[in-house]
């Protein structure tokens, strides 16, 4: 039987929807979660692990229960227990939560592959914290080494399951957050999803950037309070809105606050309340609606607040219907979007 098919055959196939480990963030497949040292990456993946093993919400979204293996290869069992009790608020540990501590680093991949075979009918999740602990020796080709490290994670993947590998980001920041991942593009190219977690030191505000083959590119605003990551605004859709709002200039935020405080707002209302030119007010409203999706166009020239349900569903930007042209003469008055200035071998059920 041939495994080469044509377009007619492909067109007739009916494939199931991609499974999600964390809806909107982590689809089935292999994922890199990268961030600077000591910003809370391990707290985030442990929260995801406990939520998935117990079928509980995380980051404001419901998570389907599944077996989880957490390779916490930089920690011992005592530290893991302390963190898990804090995240669970001293509740019971999920029975489907399994772990391997740093004492088992040398055989971690083999043990993990064996565990996946035992649980391959439940869409298992495997978390490797950190990738550096299992990637092996490097050769003379950094790209090939990184690609091999990424593809080695595929051996831990079961149907409907996911693999999350914790990794580090480079020092400094790039315009493309994909370039922030430490190493060559061979690593990012070898996995299905790349997530970067950022948090300014001595603050509780973070940003989660997500991109991948089976996930819509998104940015979420998170809060890190007492070791717990939460979606800013309580829900993932609200966190996406918050992330966009934080990038706005002061005047644009003021216009957004005005629109959110009323049932309907026009450019004339913005002129009255803010004392700016009418054409500039129109541009602010146009950008907030069409470029950022933070307000909704109600009728021609009139805007109102958006709801979380509107943010959650996919929308076609071209269908917004706002045909009011921007006045180039007033572009100098419009605030631009700015960038805002991480003692025993144990493999057992919890």
């Amino acid at each position: 039987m041939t495994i080469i098919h044509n377009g007619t055959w492909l067109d007739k196939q009916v494939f199931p929807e991609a499974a999600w480990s964390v809806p909107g963030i982590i689809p089935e497949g292999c994922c890199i979660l990268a961030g600077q040292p000591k910003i809370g990456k391990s707290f985030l993946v442990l929260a995801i692990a406990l939520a998935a093993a117990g079928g509980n919400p995380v980051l404001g979204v419901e998570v389907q229960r599944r077996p989880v293996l957490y390779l916490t290869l930089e920690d011992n069992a005592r530290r893991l227990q302390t963190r898990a009790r804090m995240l669970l608020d001293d509740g019971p540990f999920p029975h489907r939560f399994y772990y391997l501590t740093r004492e088992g680093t040398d055989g971690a991949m083999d043990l993990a592959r064996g565990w996946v075979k035992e649980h391959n009918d439940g869409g298992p999740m495997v978390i490797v914290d950190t990738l550096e602990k299992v990637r092996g020796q490097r050769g003379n080709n950094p790209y090939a080494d990184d690609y091999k490290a990424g593809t080695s994670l595929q051996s831990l993947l079961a149907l409907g399951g996911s693999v999350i590998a914790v990794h580090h980001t480079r020092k400094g920041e790039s315009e493309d957050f994909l370039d922030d991942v430490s190493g060559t593009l061979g690593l990012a190219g070898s996995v299905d999803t790349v997530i970067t977690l950022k948090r300014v030191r001595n603050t509780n505000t973070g940003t989660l950037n997500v991109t991948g083959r089976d996930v819509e590119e998104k940015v979420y605003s998170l809060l890190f309070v007492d070791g717990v990551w939460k979606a800013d605004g309580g829900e993932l859709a609200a966190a996406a809105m918050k992330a966009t709002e934080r990038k706005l200039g002061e005047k644009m935020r003021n216009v957004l606050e005005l629109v959110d405080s009323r049932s309907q707002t026009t450019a004339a209302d913005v002129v009255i309340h803010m004392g700016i030119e009418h054409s500039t007010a129109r541009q602010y409203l146009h950008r907030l609606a069409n470029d950022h999706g933070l307000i909704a166009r109600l009728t021609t020239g009139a805007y109102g607040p958006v709801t979380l349900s509107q943010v959650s569903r996919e929308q076609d930007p071209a269908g917004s219907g706002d045909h009011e042209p921007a006045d180039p003469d007033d572009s100098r008055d419009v605030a631009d979007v700015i960038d805002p200035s991480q003692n025993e071998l144990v493999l057992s059920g919890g």
Side-chain angles (χ1 to χ4, degrees):
M1 179 181 295
T2 182
I3 59 174
I4 298 178
H5 302 286
N6 61 18
T8 302
W9 181 91
L10 180 61
D11 187 42
K12 293 180 179 179
Q13 304 311 301
V14 178
F15 298 104
E17 293 292 330
W20 289 91
S21 294
V22 180
I25 300 178
I26 302 175
E28 62 179 318
C30 290
C31 165
I32 291 290
L33 191 153
Q36 289 292 310
K38 304 297 186 292
I39 64 164
K41 299 187 300 296
S42 294
F43 281 98
L44 178 58
V45 294
L46 179 56
I48 291 172
L50 294 170
N56 298 313
V58 67
L59 298 179
V61 293
E62 297 292 332
V63 177
Q64 182 179 353
R65 189 172 65 172
R66 65 184 68 233
V68 178
L69 173 60
Y70 181 34
L71 307 181
T72 177
L73 303 180
E74 295 184 338
D75 294 322
N76 56 27
R78 177 183 54 80
R79 183 181 299 155
L80 175 62
Q81 182 191 67
T82 299
R83 290 181 174 181
R85 283 178 173 172
M86 180 197 67
L87 291 171
L88 293 168
D89 197 21
D90 287 327
F93 283 43
H95 180 69
R96 293 190 178 190
F97 174 73
Y98 296 78
Y99 63 91
L100 179 67
T101 59
R102 65 189 181 192
E103 290 80 8
T105 299
D106 290 342
M109 291 296 285
D110 289 336
L111 286 169
R113 279 188 285 265
W115 180 89
V116 170
K117 287 182 180 180
E118 294 178 8
H119 299 85
N120 63 3
D121 60 345
M125 174 190 292
V126 179
I127 299 175
V128 182
D129 188 2
T130 64
L131 176 62
E132 194 64 29
K133 291 289 186 179
V134 300
R135 64 178 296 157
Q137 294 183 341
R138 291 176 170 81
N140 297 322
N141 188 330
Y143 183 93
D145 292 340
D146 284 344
Y147 197 88
K148 182 180 179 180
T151 54
S152 71
L153 297 174
Q154 302 282 348
S155 67
L156 302 178
L157 189 61
L159 181 64
S162 58
V163 177
I164 306 168
V166 178
H167 192 47
H168 295 302
T169 51
R170 307 173 188 270
K171 292 182 179 179
E173 292 190 6
S174 306
E175 291 186 6
D176 185 347
F177 71 84
L178 200 61
D179 293 331
D180 290 336
V181 179
S182 180
T184 70
L185 291 178
L187 182 59
S190 64
V191 297
D192 303 301
T193 306
V194 176
I195 301 173
T196 61
L197 178 64
K198 299 181 180 181
R199 179 172 64 87
V200 178
R201 300 290 179 188
N202 300 317
T203 72
N204 67 346
T205 303
T207 303
L208 199 68
N209 296 270
V210 182
T211 190
R213 300 185 179 108
D214 299 307
V215 61
E216 183 181 358
E217 191 166 293
K218 285 287 189 179
V219 182
Y220 301 104
S221 175
L222 305 183
L223 299 176
F224 188 56
V225 182
D226 297 329
V228 180
W229 286 102
K230 298 180 180 179
D232 192 356
E235 299 180 21
L236 205 57
M241 292 178 63
K242 292 286 187 180
T244 302
E245 290 176 14
R246 281 166 46 189
K247 295 182 179 180
L248 302 179
E250 181 180 359
K251 290 184 179 179
M252 191 81 86
R253 289 198 302 270
N254 290 338
V255 174
L256 176 60
E257 290 176 3
L258 176 63
V259 175
D260 284 342
S261 69
R262 302 155 56 92
S263 60
Q264 180 173 299
T265 302
T266 65
D269 297 323
V270 176
V271 171
I272 293 173
H273 285 82
M274 296 187 58
I276 60 178
E277 295 292 331
H278 189 274
S279 57
T280 305
R282 290 170 58 195
Q283 284 199 36
Y284 278 125
L285 294 170
H286 179 90
R287 291 187 181 185
L288 286 169
N290 287 31
D291 297 348
H292 306 303
L294 294 174
I295 62 176
R297 184 177 180 276
L298 305 178
T299 60
T300 301
Y303 299 83
V306 298
T307 64
L308 291 183
S309 60
Q310 288 174 306
V311 178
S312 299
R313 64 175 181 265
E314 293 184 358
Q315 295 180 334
D316 179 6
S320 60
D322 192 332
H323 302 296
E324 295 180 307
D327 187 345
D329 292 336
D330 290 293
S331 60
R332 65 185 183 275
D333 296 325
V334 180
D336 293 328
V337 175
I338 58 174
D339 291 326
S341 304
Q342 77 92 296
N343 297 346
E344 56 188 354
L345 178 61
V346 180
L347 180 59
S348 59

